[in-house]
Amino acid sequence: MAAPRYVCAASLSERNLQMKFDTPAGSNPIDQLKVIGQPADRIDGKLKTTGTATYAYEQNAAVPDAAYGYIVGAGIGKGRIASIDSASAREASGVIAIVTYENAGPLAKGEFYVARALAGPQVDHYHQSVAIVVAETFEQARAAAGLLEIRYVAAPGSFDLATAKDSATPPPPAGFGPPPQTSAGDFEGAFNAAPVQIDQHYSTPDQAHAMMEPHATIARWNGKQLTLWTSIQQINWGVRDLAKTLGIAKEDVRLISPYIGGGFGGKGTILCDAVLASLAARHAGRPVKVALPRPLMFNNLTHRPATIQRLRIGANRDGVITAIGHESWSGNLRGGRTEAATASTRLLYAGANRMTRLNLAVLDLAEGSAMRAPGEAPGMMALEIAMDELAEKLQMDPLQLRILNDTQVDPEQPARPFSKRQLVECLNTGAERFGWQQRNPQPGQRREGGWLIGIGLASAIRGAPTTASAARVRLDRQGVITVETDMTDIGTGSYTIIAQTAAEMMGVPLERVVVRLGDSKFPESSGSGGQWGAASSTAGVYAACLKLREAAARAVGIDPRQAEFVDGQIRAGSQQVALAEAAANGELTGEDRMEYGDLAERFAQQTFGAHFAEVAVNAATGEIRLRRQLAVCAAGRILNPKTARSQIIGGMTMGAGAALMEELAVDHRIGFFVNHDLAGYEVPVHADIPHQEVIFLDEVDPYATPLKAKGVGELGISGAAAAIANAIYNACGVRVRDYPITLDKLIGELSYPV
Ligand code: MOS
């Protein structure tokens, strides 16, 4: 095939160390799709499946002399420390140091989390860290921790969202997430006048990230230089927050995080393991390693806050929505963020009269923060049941109701189109593939022996943000490309899609690319979070590769504007030179950073999908079995269908957890999450979901990035739980609006013969 001439549509100022993406992407080398878009295996897969990937706690080769730190969590929900007697702990065998607020020195807070990494004398929440004990071995540290005598004076706290709800107020606008209040038209008037109305409350519980790898850090001081091997999603936030917390210069902090065993939003930036390991290492005079024991994680760290939501939807008898209102209440430590559950309702369906309102109460539980599509996941759990209820009231197919109320413009700002929106295509494709037309709208009509069978659907929507990301790309004289960026791979596939990007840009096979991630000495990336990592980090690598292409072409005397990079060669007209030749006189480097203009303001940029679920509900016991799930997604160019599919399946699994299992049970007297381990906090396992299928629609979004790609990390969960809830209703006729949907909420309501 004739090689196309590539024009970079970004306003490319080739001399600057910064490229700006502010016009839609034109044709570029990525469009060759020789490597991008292929289902490449994870390049880190073998290391992970053979147990040889070195996670934070396993960096023994780098830090052979680390002592062990053990963190002690507060035994009250709120109050203060009256005294700490550490005499016997200090005497215990192997003990090297004990750090509490009494000897820690001043500690500030980072910019993202509001909870303090170390309590004292005030205790802000249960299991907030009160001490770290350092010893020669883990067992010695743990044993000595048990000898600390800490006396508390407990104070009354606010632990129940339902009680605190009435004192909630609109939160201040956050750095990201929807504004606390939005409106268009006259919601109240239109709702009251609507001939068909839904007005319901829904609730979602506190949830835990429950990632596999616990938070863990090894800290080492070298003079004033602090190095941390840690498990973190955003290296740049971590450097910023650790420097601020400890009152040291950012330049003196280095974070290393090559492999991460899941984050799910819970490792956005540094938490107590990083701060206390750093303090402990300073006191001990040697490196210290710390992992949070699982039972400490649930109350010490962050979680997704519970919500109470009210949905009001008014429609004409033909199903056209005329009014849509969504209010949500959540709680947090003072100053903490709100669970922004209204985000999707602002954009998902048409309707001239609209209102969303967030309300935040002060609660004294552990800090609520980002988890697995924060805002959108719990918001869609409510909105998409409400749509099912509206369809039933209208006696309309829930699929048709959604299609009827599709919009190609931001319904709050009709002058702002979506950059790309294939919601209807997702719904229709899924309906056909899943067998939606076999659905009986009457619950209880389909059964297999003692089991009632139902199917349900929900729309999916999730924001597609991008953020600045930089990378450095090197070419050596063997023709090997090495990419360096502080991007993280939290199990998502970053290593692989970054390698694919560099391979495509430089015209080499994937095997010729080495990717080095997760080190703050590399150029600053977007990090992993908010579904922005894949799109942003690959755009940074794209920019760096353009620089390297230019340097390589010049090195072999080819006009960079004519140069094509194909099959390990640089070509222009009749000229062709092996790529490795360009580095014959020494390694070449390209470094750049991709920034974004106002395309995301001018065009609503979201990812879309449709979720389908089939369940069986036991007519006698109310036991629910999830039988199959399907997600159809439209999310820009899919960089690697294998890793993207894994992302969506992970999200669907989290949706199943949210629908059926996951709930932190709050003790309202003492103020803590009771089920603080993986025996009590249940997440789905393979046996819970026998069949999952994912379909990606063919899509490119030139408004998103030069790769025309978007992230998919959080799309898979947004809507997935409601599809299951709707399937349960279709199976057994019981409408549960309080997640998770457990059999105790069904059993008293079941009315079909056993
Ligand atoms: Mo994600 S929960 O925004 O890391």
Side-chain angles (χ1 to χ4, degrees):
M1 132 185 139
R5 179 90 352 105
Y6 302 114
V7 183
C8 178
S11 60
L12 171 54
S13 167
E14 295 188 3
R15 299 289 171 270
N16 286 345
L17 256 187
Q18 197 149 294
M19 187 179 290
K20 193 163 192 183
F21 185 74
D22 54 8
T23 54
S27 165
N28 67 49
I30 295 294
D31 296 323
Q32 298 172 102
L33 302 182
K34 288 183 174 171
V35 197
I36 286 288
Q38 302 301 318
D41 288 346
R42 283 178 193 223
I43 58 181
D44 52 327
K46 195 169 173 189
L47 289 175
K48 289 183 172 171
T49 52
T50 55
T52 47
T54 40
Y55 292 85
Y57 201 71
E58 301 172 323
Q59 298 280 358
N60 298 330
V63 199
D65 56 338
Y68 290 79
Y70 193 87
I71 291 175
V72 179
I76 56 169
K78 187 177 170 64
R80 66 185 171 82
I81 298 169
S83 64
I84 302 175
D85 182 351
S86 56
S88 18
R90 282 185 197 281
E91 305 278 286
S93 100
V95 170
I96 300 164
I98 298 173
V99 181
T100 70
Y101 81 96
E102 293 173 331
N103 62 351
L107 285 179
K109 279 190 236 175
E111 287 178 23
F112 191 69
Y113 297 125
V114 299
R116 294 177 300 145
L118 184 61
Q122 298 303 319
V123 172
D124 306 319
H125 63 87
Y126 191 82
H127 271 177
Q128 187 177 23
S129 307
V130 294
I132 180 166
V133 178
V134 184
E136 294 292 340
T137 70
F138 171 78
E139 290 77 9
Q140 288 170 332
R142 183 176 58 183
L147 298 174
L148 282 177
E149 285 187 35
I150 305 169
R151 296 193 190 285
Y152 301 96
V153 179
S158 173
F159 305 119
D160 183 10
L161 176 61
T163 309
K165 177 174 175 274
D166 293 337
S167 66
T169 54
F176 43 85
Q181 307 200 5
T182 65
S183 66
D186 169 20
F187 167 73
E188 298 283 345
F191 178 74
N192 290 331
V196 183
Q197 299 172 336
I198 287 292
D199 181 357
Q200 287 292 353
H201 280 79
Y202 305 84
S203 55
T204 63
D206 295 284
Q207 296 176 333
H209 304 87
M211 72 292 280
M212 197 134 56
E213 181 202 22
H215 290 61
T217 297
I218 304 177
R220 183 177 71 194
W221 290 90
N222 191 352
K224 60 182 186 141
Q225 305 272 334
L226 174 62
T227 302
L228 257 59
W229 289 261
T230 191
S231 186
I232 189 170
Q233 295 177 218
Q234 307 278 154
I235 295 261
N236 54 350
W237 295 7
V239 170
R240 174 197 73 195
D241 291 342
L242 188 61
K244 196 168 171 220
T245 302
L246 299 177
I248 61 178
K250 269 169 61 168
E251 295 66 39
D252 291 334
V253 176
R254 180 168 171 205
L255 298 190
I256 301 172
S257 195
Y259 302 106
I260 296 146
F264 304 165
K267 294 174 179 170
T269 175
I270 50 122
L271 280 155
C272 75
D273 56 304
V275 176
L276 296 191
S278 302
L279 293 174
R282 189 190 267 161
H283 279 250
R286 64 188 261 200
V288 170
K289 64 192 296 185
V290 180
L292 260 80
R294 185 68 65 179
L296 199 61
M297 293 176 66
F298 294 74
N299 287 284
N300 178 293
L301 301 168
T302 67
H303 69 286
R304 188 207 297 282
T307 68
I308 297 170
Q309 302 178 47
R310 183 187 186 190
L311 255 306
R312 281 180 283 169
I313 311 178
N316 293 332
R317 294 202 191 282
D318 61 3
V320 170
I321 292 173
T322 54
I324 184 160
H326 190 172
E327 295 154 272
S328 181
W329 290 261
S330 61
N332 211 336
L333 291 170
R334 193 171 295 281
R337 51 186 286 160
T338 184
E339 184 66 30
T342 55
S344 306
T345 307
R346 298 180 60 208
L347 291 159
L348 190 50
Y349 299 118
N353 304 288
R354 326 178 60 86
M355 175 274 289
T356 72
R357 215 171 280 160
L358 293 169
N359 305 279
L360 182 61
V362 173
L363 287 181
D364 300 300
L365 295 166
E367 180 164 2
S369 192
M371 174 177 143
R372 311 185 197 158
E376 282 137 317
M380 292 290 280
M381 289 164 77
L383 172 64
E384 289 297 282
I385 294 185
M387 287 294 285
D388 207 63
E389 298 197 61
L390 178 63
E392 189 184 31
K393 236 183 190 176
L394 290 160
Q395 293 185 294
M396 195 171 173
D397 181 346
L399 176 76
Q400 294 310 324
L401 175 65
R402 286 169 171 85
I403 291 170
L404 180 67
N405 288 288
D406 184 47
T407 172
Q408 290 295 317
V409 296
D410 176 347
E412 284 182 4
Q413 311 172 55
R416 181 181 183 237
F418 286 94
S419 62
K420 195 86 195 174
R421 173 171 165 132
Q422 295 201 75
L423 174 64
V424 170
E425 291 80 356
C426 291
L427 287 162
N428 281 330
T429 303
E432 191 181 321
R433 177 67 73 107
F434 201 71
W436 182 254
Q437 63 287 352
Q438 290 155 26
R439 173 180 179 267
N440 189 326
Q442 278 303 113
Q445 301 308 301
R446 204 181 134 201
R447 59 188 300 160
E448 291 174 15
W451 295 89
L452 302 162
I453 315 298
I455 59 177
L457 69 77
S459 300
I461 181 173
R462 211 282 160 184
T466 43
T467 185
S469 196
R472 180 164 57 230
V473 189
R474 298 190 274 122
L475 169 69
D476 71 13
R477 63 179 80 185
Q478 277 74 45
V480 172
I481 308 289
T482 301
V483 186
E484 293 168 331
T485 165
D486 80 2
M487 180 61 186
T488 51
D489 189 327
I490 63 173
T492 41
S494 310
Y495 275 105
T496 312
I497 58 172
I498 283 172
Q500 287 175 276
T501 303
E504 195 77 80
M505 290 298 292
M506 301 310 300
V508 300
L510 201 52
E511 303 74 55
R512 303 295 281 171
V513 181
V514 175
V515 179
R516 302 176 68 198
L517 301 182
D519 189 331
S520 61
K521 78 174 186 195
F522 298 149
E524 180 179 338
S525 77
S526 61
S528 302
Q531 190 169 273
W532 63 61
S536 306
S537 68
T538 55
V541 173
Y542 168 92
C545 285
L546 285 184
K547 284 276 164 65
L548 181 59
R549 285 164 61 106
E550 187 190 339
R554 285 195 205 289
V556 295
I558 288 180
D559 179 353
R561 285 164 305 176
Q562 306 295 321
E564 289 154 12
F565 290 71
V566 190
D567 297 337
Q569 293 179 326
I570 312 175
R571 292 181 198 157
S574 59
Q575 281 178 284
Q576 79 181 39
V577 185
L579 178 63
E581 277 297 304
N585 295 323
E587 184 179 277
L588 296 180
T589 300
E591 180 171 342
D592 206 349
R593 169 182 155 100
M594 184 65 80
E595 290 235 321
Y596 295 85
D598 65 353
L599 284 174
E601 279 110 67
R602 287 161 49 208
F603 297 87
Q605 298 192 4
Q606 300 279 318
T607 56
F608 292 93
H611 287 287
F612 294 78
E614 179 178 297
V615 302
V617 178
N618 189 288
T621 66
E623 180 188 341
I624 302 159
R625 290 193 185 163
L626 181 54
R627 308 214 305 186
R628 55 193 181 105
Q629 284 179 292
L630 165 68
V632 182
C633 302
R637 173 173 280 155
I638 299 304
L639 300 170
N640 178 331
K642 187 178 283 186
T643 55
R645 176 177 179 275
S646 268
Q647 288 289 283
I648 299 295
I649 282 182
M652 292 156 75
T653 307
M654 294 169 183
L660 302 174
M661 302 173 193
E662 293 187 59
E663 174 174 26
L664 287 166
V666 183
D667 179 310
H668 294 138
R669 301 155 306 160
I670 297 171
F672 75 115
F673 302 127
V674 180
N675 49 340
H676 54 90
D677 59 34
L678 289 178
Y681 187 86
E682 294 183 359
V683 296
V685 296
H686 281 84
D688 293 315
I689 314 173
H691 189 81
Q692 293 176 307
E693 195 185 352
V694 181
I695 297 169
F696 289 107
L697 298 190
D698 215 6
E699 185 173 296
V700 288
D701 189 340
Y703 296 87
T705 74
L707 287 84
K708 309 177 181 88
K710 294 169 173 172
V712 296
E714 299 183 347
L715 179 63
I717 186 173
S718 302
I724 295 168
N726 295 337
I728 292 169
Y729 179 77
N730 181 242
C732 70
V734 183
R735 186 69 81 177
V736 180
R737 303 184 183 88
D738 174 40
Y739 289 98
I741 306 173
T742 45
L743 59 79
D744 53 296
K745 295 173 187 172
L746 297 179
I747 193 164
E749 310 290 324
L750 293 170
S751 57
Y752 295 99
V754 171

